[in-house]
Amino acid sequence: MQTNLSYILLFCSIFFIEIGFSQKIKPSKNTIKKDSTILKQIDTLFNSKKDSLILQKKDTIGLDTLKPQETIEDIIVHIAKDYTIQNAKDKTVTLYNEANITYTDIDLKAGIIIVDYKKNTLFAKGIIDSTGYVQRPIFKQGNQESEQDSMIYNFKSKRALIYGLKTKQGEMFTYGDKTKRVNDSTIYIRKIKFTTSEKKVPDYYIATDKAKLVPGKKIIVGTSNLVLADIPTPLFIPFAYFPITETSVSGFLIPAFDTGSSSRGIGFTNGGYYFAINDYMDLTVQGDAYSNGSWGMRLSSNYRKRYRFNGAFSLNFENTISGIRGFDDYSKSNNFNIRWTHSQDSKASPNSRFSASVNLGSSKFFRESLNQFNVSQTQTNTFNSSINYSKTFVGTPFNMNLTASHQQNTNTEKITMTLPSLTVNMNRVYPFAGKDGVQKTPIQKMGFNYTMQGQYLINTTDDEFFTSKMFETARSGMQHKTGTNTNIKAFRYFTLSPSVNYEETWQFDYIQKNYDITDNVVVTDTLRGFKSYREYNAGLSLSTNIYGTFNFKKGRLKTIRHTFRPSISYSYRPDFKDKHIKQVQQSADATDLLDYTVFDQGIYGAPSSGLSNSIGINLNNVLEAKIAPKDPDDDEQEDEKITILNNLNFSSSYNIAADSLRWSPVSFSAGTRLFKDKLAVNLSGSMDPYKVNSSGVRINEFNANIFRLTNASLTANYSISSKDFEKGNKGKANKSNGNGAQGGVDVIGADINPTDSFGQRQGINTNKEDQNKKAKLYNSDIPWSINLAYSASYTNNGVDPGTVGIHSIMFSGNLELSPKWKMGYSSGYDVKGGAFTFSRFNFTRDLDSWQFNFNWVPFGTNSSYTFFIGVKSSMLSDLKWDKNKPPDRVLF
């Protein structure tokens, strides 16, 4: 009877354990005896009156006499690689080697895990093997994860004691000696280190004695010290606050102290506030202030909606003061700049599209700015903007394009704007085509097109921009164009193409000239009203292709093919201006009359003047060659085709209706690509068959040498890099951009924007793979690239000796001294002037969790430098040193 009772009690104990645990019992006396010591330590810890994790005797859960509440809320699933021991007497379970427990949203992995379901606790630690202390506990709860040396967790109170903590919150790694987890939302840590370095031995960290961590929200620390490479620095802060939310949050942007220069004194820059408006948009407000009264304000916003659109907007305004009020060198200027980029996702609307690229403002903004060291903008003489909306009308041949554009010359300070320009196009239609659109006969091939364009044009200056005066000289008009053409096969080898075009122009303003007797001048008045005129022309062209082949029997050169495409055209256009001409007296002499039309200052100009009855000649040449492979016995290799001349063009015209100077100058152009498309050479110019008089005016006499070279230009671009000498790249052409020049490389160099508080610089490679490169030496294999550009021009007016206008060489490139050391350069030499052109050097060093940049313009009007070293992570973006020497600002 006693034996049976023992079996029953044992069976009940096993059954009770299996309710909470899904694994089979594997008892071991040695393990039970070994773990009893650990359980006693846990029992002592949780029964200590001084510890906040004590389970109080008067727990409110125990006061419920109606229905006892279970502490363990769900099934505990546990596994272990070596063994699992369940102690029915002490109500503990011990898991050894690759132990894993999952309970509700908790996932715990460790070398050893001991669960005490009597005290509702678990204890986890690593194990020691030949490699050291391994299988440290990894604790996951929800989206939070931490790694530690050992830990004790209470299921009931959800509190824990953690030793040797390592956790990651956003980009921040947190290391702590002893951690007390009060609940799911608050953790207290002693002897803590914060860093964004992913190395086992961090590059840097912020050390503090105590801190409070709210997972997914914030970290609050006391007095902290910056430590670099385990060496404490003299940099201390009394307290720190680190936001670690997954989403953007609003907050202050700490300003930087700037010693400035003698012209504006000392001040603070880049201070402000960041507004996290919503998940799709943000707003940054920053400002600068200097002791001499200079100040600046910047607004910037980024927005994005997936599969719809994305863009960025910025507004900069600066009030710049130089010198001291009352002295001769005192000056003051207000400058502004507006930028906006918008791009629509192609999936948002396949039949319509909206885009914007705006860059407008004061012409001197980038030259006088206190906080914008955009070197490429200082070298650019124009600002361009465009806002465009296009729509295709499905089921019809029509499409529409609405554009607002802006062009600004920063040297002349003249601005031209179209607000807006509307264009409606009708794709070519073939009304006489046969069934199913078959086009065989000339009538069936006859196609018609139509284009309507309307503009509202404004010409103004910097001073009148955004004032009512800019609209006083505005012009508006509309133009309609239509035409038809076809082609006919003539004489078997020729193509005959007749065409007819019609054009009608509407203008909503016109001019009227009157003679002012008092001042003896002609006064021009602009009047509002509708005026129109019409033009038409007809033409005929004849073209063919002629092929010449030259075969070679010796050597690798097998064939040269010459493609000759001559064409001759005839066009006729009446004189439309004659019937619109008006006359006005222009001096005291009543017979001194000036001819003009009311359309002279219109947006599309006056009607065409003079009868045009001309013949045009165009000659196009292409030279290609076929080269046999190096190994003639290799049947798998094919003959290589190369282009000797991409084009060699000549064009001119002969006006039958003219009484003199019937021949127009002969224009020519030639282009080729050599060395496997790496070198692009282009030549263009014009030759005049007529002589000029002593004033440089053409006269109706031919030159003795038939043609006189009036102008010519030559450009050559070459790009080469170390990759071209790699075995895998030999024989492969490096396809560059349209002119074969830079291959997409900016000759001026990368820009550095010091207002970027995150420390990121344009032109810096932030690719994750490049950041993780090992710091090894390249030895003799050092990546490099060189981009060369040569430009020369020649002009000859026929009176003075010919002169060389431009003769310069530009070069740029990159050099990687090591996987993390990069140097870029760009410069040039003016052969005619005998001096170097704008030069720039930039050095970058990837310091793993830090970034170093140095950008230097050694000489010239933009002589300056910028130095930056700081943490890459945006979370600690204010941990940086940013020093710069801006170029001298000229305010007049």
Side-chain angles (χ1 to χ4, degrees):
M1 185 66 181
Q2 186 176 2
T3 304
N4 293 336
L5 181 60
S6 300
Y7 279 110
I8 292 172
L9 292 173
L10 179 60
F11 177 79
C12 292
S13 300
I14 295 172
F15 179 78
F16 178 75
I17 293 171
E18 287 300 325
I19 292 175
F21 303 93
S22 61
Q23 299 297 318
K24 294 182 179 180
I25 302 173
K26 298 179 181 179
S28 173
K29 292 182 180 180
N30 294 332
T31 305
I32 295 172
K33 190 173 183 180
K34 181 180 179 182
D35 292 336
S36 61
T37 306
I38 298 174
L39 292 175
K40 288 180 181 179
Q41 295 175 357
I42 298 173
D43 186 57
T44 303
L45 174 66
F46 281 86
N47 287 322
S48 174
K49 293 182 179 180
K50 296 181 180 180
D51 200 293
S52 61
L53 299 178
I54 301 174
L55 296 176
Q56 301 294 336
K57 293 181 179 180
K58 295 182 179 181
D59 198 298
T60 56
I61 299 175
L63 298 176
D64 190 351
T65 57
L66 297 177
K67 184 179 179 181
Q69 183 175 347
E70 294 290 340
T71 302
I72 299 178
E73 302 172 354
D74 198 357
I75 295 176
I76 300 177
V77 180
H78 58 85
I79 58 175
K81 183 176 181 181
D82 283 1
Y83 60 78
T84 301
I85 299 176
Q86 299 183 8
N87 188 329
K89 180 180 179 181
D90 296 330
K91 295 183 180 180
T92 62
V93 176
T94 302
L95 313 175
Y96 185 81
N97 195 11
E98 296 184 10
N100 180 218
I101 280 183
T102 57
Y103 168 71
T104 60
D105 63 341
I106 295 174
D107 186 355
L108 176 63
K109 296 179 181 179
I112 298 174
I113 301 177
I114 302 174
V115 181
D116 188 333
Y117 53 85
K118 183 177 181 181
K119 297 183 177 63
N120 304 314
T121 62
L122 66 80
F123 170 75
K125 66 175 183 177
I127 58 177
I128 299 176
D129 61 11
S130 58
T131 61
Y133 191 63
V134 296
Q135 296 188 36
R136 289 178 170 84
I138 299 177
F139 184 83
K140 293 182 181 180
Q141 186 169 18
N143 58 355
Q144 305 299 325
E145 180 179 345
S146 64
E147 181 181 344
Q148 44 271 319
D149 291 339
S150 62
M151 66 173 296
I152 304 170
Y153 180 76
N154 189 295
F155 289 104
K156 187 174 182 179
S157 63
K158 295 184 179 180
R159 298 181 178 182
L161 284 179
I162 302 171
Y163 298 91
L165 171 71
K166 177 187 177 183
T167 183
K168 184 179 182 182
Q169 300 288 329
E171 297 178 332
M172 183 79 73
F173 289 92
T174 305
Y175 301 87
D177 288 352
K178 182 179 180 181
T179 305
K180 181 187 293 185
R181 180 179 178 133
V182 178
N183 49 47
D184 292 342
S185 61
T186 306
I187 299 173
Y188 294 96
I189 311 174
R190 289 280 188 181
K191 300 295 182 182
I192 190 172
K193 301 175 183 177
F194 298 103
T195 183
T196 58
S197 175
E198 299 182 0
K199 295 181 178 179
K200 287 186 176 181
V201 180
D203 298 327
Y204 79 102
Y205 56 86
I206 298 174
T208 185
D209 287 336
K210 56 184 179 179
K212 177 182 178 180
L213 186 151
V214 180
K217 292 185 178 181
K218 59 188 175 182
I219 301 175
I220 304 173
V221 302
T223 304
S224 305
N225 175 224
L226 177 63
V227 179
L228 301 177
D230 284 334
I231 300 175
T233 67
L235 299 178
F236 286 87
I237 52 176
F239 65 91
Y241 175 89
F242 305 109
I244 54 174
T245 56
E246 297 294 333
T247 59
S248 299
V249 294
S250 302
F252 287 98
L253 301 175
I254 301 174
F257 182 72
D258 185 10
T259 57
S261 64
S262 58
S263 61
R264 63 178 183 266
I266 60 175
F268 292 92
T269 62
N270 303 327
Y273 197 84
Y274 175 80
F275 297 90
I277 299 175
N278 53 41
D279 293 339
Y280 308 106
M281 180 182 294
D282 66 356
L283 175 64
T284 303
V285 180
Q286 290 179 293
D288 310 324
Y290 290 90
S291 59
N292 75 330
S294 299
W295 60 274
M297 180 67 70
R298 291 179 298 281
L299 302 176
S300 61
S301 177
N302 296 280
Y303 58 90
R304 175 185 294 272
K305 192 168 185 180
R306 186 178 296 180
Y307 308 126
R308 296 298 299 249
F309 54 80
N310 66 85
F313 175 83
S314 67
L315 170 63
N316 297 267
F317 181 85
E318 293 187 357
N319 177 43
T320 307
I321 297 175
S322 178
I324 302 174
R325 188 184 298 273
F327 288 82
D328 294 337
D329 62 346
Y330 176 82
S331 61
K332 179 180 178 181
S333 66
N334 293 327
N335 293 308
F336 73 95
N337 181 259
I338 299 174
R339 289 189 175 188
W340 178 35
T341 59
H342 179 91
S343 178
Q344 178 180 307
D345 195 298
S346 58
K347 306 181 188 66
S349 179
N351 299 317
S352 63
R353 183 172 181 81
F354 178 80
S355 62
S357 177
V358 176
N359 180 16
L360 62 87
S362 305
S363 296
K364 297 180 179 179
F365 176 78
F366 290 101
R367 299 172 188 171
E368 300 179 356
S369 175
L370 303 176
N371 207 358
Q372 290 284 333
F373 311 140
N374 195 319
V375 178
S376 63
Q377 288 288 349
T378 62
Q379 303 300 304
T380 302
N381 297 327
T382 57
F383 290 164
N384 295 282
S385 304
S386 176
I387 301 175
N388 181 270
Y389 174 76
S390 60
K391 182 175 178 60
T392 300
F393 298 94
V394 181
T396 71
F398 292 95
N399 60 80
M400 179 191 72
N401 191 52
L402 185 64
T403 303
S405 62
H406 152 266
Q407 296 85 36
Q408 181 175 351
N409 190 308
T410 59
N411 289 333
T412 62
E413 298 187 1
K414 291 184 178 180
I415 300 173
T416 301
M417 304 178 71
T418 55
L419 298 174
S421 172
L422 173 65
T423 303
V424 177
N425 288 304
M426 183 187 75
N427 296 330
R428 187 173 297 275
V429 295
Y430 300 89
F432 307 112
K435 191 176 182 180
D436 298 329
V438 176
Q439 302 171 14
K440 293 184 178 180
T441 66
I443 299 297
Q444 291 176 339
K445 294 178 181 178
M446 185 178 294
F448 294 83
N449 64 342
Y450 167 77
T451 300
M452 185 274 287
Q453 184 183 41
Q455 286 188 13
Y456 184 78
L457 181 66
I458 298 174
N459 289 297
T460 184
T461 62
D462 259 19
D463 296 334
E464 297 179 356
F465 196 46
F466 285 151
T467 65
S468 59
K469 291 184 178 180
M470 67 181 286
F471 298 100
E472 293 179 359
T473 58
R475 299 288 183 266
S476 59
M478 188 174 290
Q479 197 170 62
H480 307 266
K481 294 181 180 180
T482 185
T484 180
N485 63 0
T486 186
N487 60 80
I488 306 169
K489 209 70 177 176
F491 310 109
R492 189 176 180 182
Y493 299 108
F494 293 88
T495 301
L496 187 65
S497 302
S499 63
V500 177
N501 298 290
Y502 174 81
E503 182 179 300
E504 184 167 331
T505 302
W506 299 349
Q507 293 191 175
F508 303 106
D509 46 69
Y510 60 95
I511 63 170
Q512 182 174 311
K513 293 181 181 288
N514 297 292
Y515 175 64
D516 188 342
I517 301 176
T518 305
D519 296 331
N520 193 28
V521 295
V522 176
V523 178
T524 302
D525 296 322
T526 301
L527 305 176
R528 303 300 177 186
F530 177 80
K531 297 287 183 179
S532 66
Y533 63 87
R534 281 147 289 279
E535 293 182 311
Y536 57 85
N537 64 76
L540 186 70
S541 68
L542 184 68
S543 62
T544 187
N545 291 337
I546 301 173
Y547 301 95
T549 304
F550 306 91
N551 298 318
F552 299 88
K553 296 181 179 180
K554 295 182 179 181
R556 293 180 58 201
L557 180 61
K558 297 179 65 175
T559 304
I560 291 180
R561 187 175 75 167
H562 176 210
T563 303
F564 179 49
R565 299 186 179 95
S567 67
I568 185 170
S569 61
Y570 170 78
S571 65
Y572 176 82
R573 188 203 67 226
D575 184 359
F576 295 99
K577 188 175 182 179
D578 184 55
K579 63 180 180 180
H580 295 287
I581 287 180
K582 293 186 176 184
Q583 292 183 332
V584 61
Q585 182 180 337
Q586 61 178 343
S587 67
D589 185 0
T591 61
D592 186 11
L593 301 178
L594 173 68
D595 294 338
Y596 78 98
T597 71
V598 297
F599 306 103
D600 281 348
Q601 296 182 12
I603 190 172
Y604 296 108
S608 301
S609 63
L611 173 66
S612 176
N613 188 14
S614 63
I615 298 173
I617 301 173
N618 186 42
L619 307 176
N620 176 264
N621 300 268
V622 177
L623 282 178
E624 298 172 304
K626 184 181 290 186
I627 299 177
K630 293 182 179 180
D631 187 0
D633 298 329
D634 190 351
D635 298 332
E636 295 182 358
Q637 293 186 4
E638 298 180 354
D639 294 340
E640 182 183 0
K641 296 180 181 179
I642 63 172
T643 301
I644 301 175
L645 272 177
N646 281 346
N647 63 81
L648 176 60
N649 300 326
F650 297 92
S651 63
S652 184
S653 63
Y654 180 81
N655 191 350
I656 302 173
D659 57 356
S660 62
L661 303 175
R662 293 182 175 179
W663 284 102
S664 67
V666 178
S667 300
F668 66 89
S669 63
T672 186
R673 304 176 75 90
L674 305 173
F675 304 114
K676 298 179 180 178
D677 290 345
K678 290 186 175 298
L679 174 63
V681 181
N682 293 282
L683 174 68
S684 64
S686 66
M687 299 177 291
D688 194 345
Y690 294 104
K691 294 181 179 180
V692 296
N693 58 21
S694 58
S695 300
V697 179
R698 299 173 74 202
I699 60 177
N700 195 30
E701 292 182 18
F702 289 105
N703 290 299
N705 298 326
I706 303 179
F707 292 110
R708 173 176 55 86
L709 183 64
T710 57
N711 63 80
S713 64
L714 173 67
T715 60
N717 304 283
Y718 186 73
S719 177
I720 190 172
S721 68
S722 58
K723 292 183 179 180
D724 299 324
F725 297 92
E726 295 177 1
K727 293 183 179 180
N729 290 335
K730 285 187 176 180
K732 295 183 180 180
N734 183 15
K735 301 294 183 182
S736 56
N737 55 8
N739 59 10
Q742 307 303 327
V745 178
D746 184 4
V747 178
I748 295 178
D751 291 326
I752 286 189
N753 180 9
T755 64
D756 186 352
S757 59
F758 290 156
Q760 298 295 332
R761 295 297 183 262
Q762 298 179 24
I764 297 172
N765 191 349
T766 56
N767 189 297
K768 196 73 174 178
E769 295 180 0
D770 291 341
Q771 292 180 10
N772 294 331
K773 285 181 179 179
K774 295 181 179 179
K776 62 181 181 181
L777 295 177
Y778 276 129
N779 296 326
S780 60
D781 185 17
I782 298 178
W784 55 269
S785 66
I786 298 176
N787 307 284
L788 300 173
Y790 173 79
S791 178
S793 66
Y794 171 84
T795 58
N796 185 352
N797 59 12
V799 179
D800 302 320
T803 59
V804 176
I806 299 174
H807 192 196
S808 61
I809 301 172
M810 297 186 69
F811 51 89
S812 65
N814 294 284
L815 180 66
E816 295 187 29
L817 302 176
S818 73
K820 296 187 178 184
W821 259 115
K822 295 182 181 180
M823 184 188 76
Y825 57 91
S826 60
S827 185
Y829 185 76
D830 186 353
V831 179
K832 180 182 178 181
F836 282 95
T837 61
F838 174 79
S839 301
R840 185 176 189 177
F841 302 90
N842 60 282
F843 304 87
T844 63
R845 168 65 177 174
D846 186 354
L847 299 170
D848 295 327
S849 53
W850 292 65
Q851 182 71 47
F852 160 78
N853 288 316
F854 181 70
N855 202 291
W856 180 36
V857 179
F859 51 80
T861 56
N862 291 288
S863 174
S864 60
Y865 71 83
T866 57
F867 174 87
F868 171 85
I869 184 170
V871 177
K872 292 179 182 178
S873 171
S874 60
M875 186 175 295
L876 295 178
S877 60
D878 290 319
L879 191 57
K880 64 179 180 179
W881 183 28
D882 204 345
K883 181 68 176 176
N884 59 74
K885 185 265 179 186
D888 295 334
R889 304 303 185 188
V890 179
L891 304 182
F892 53 86

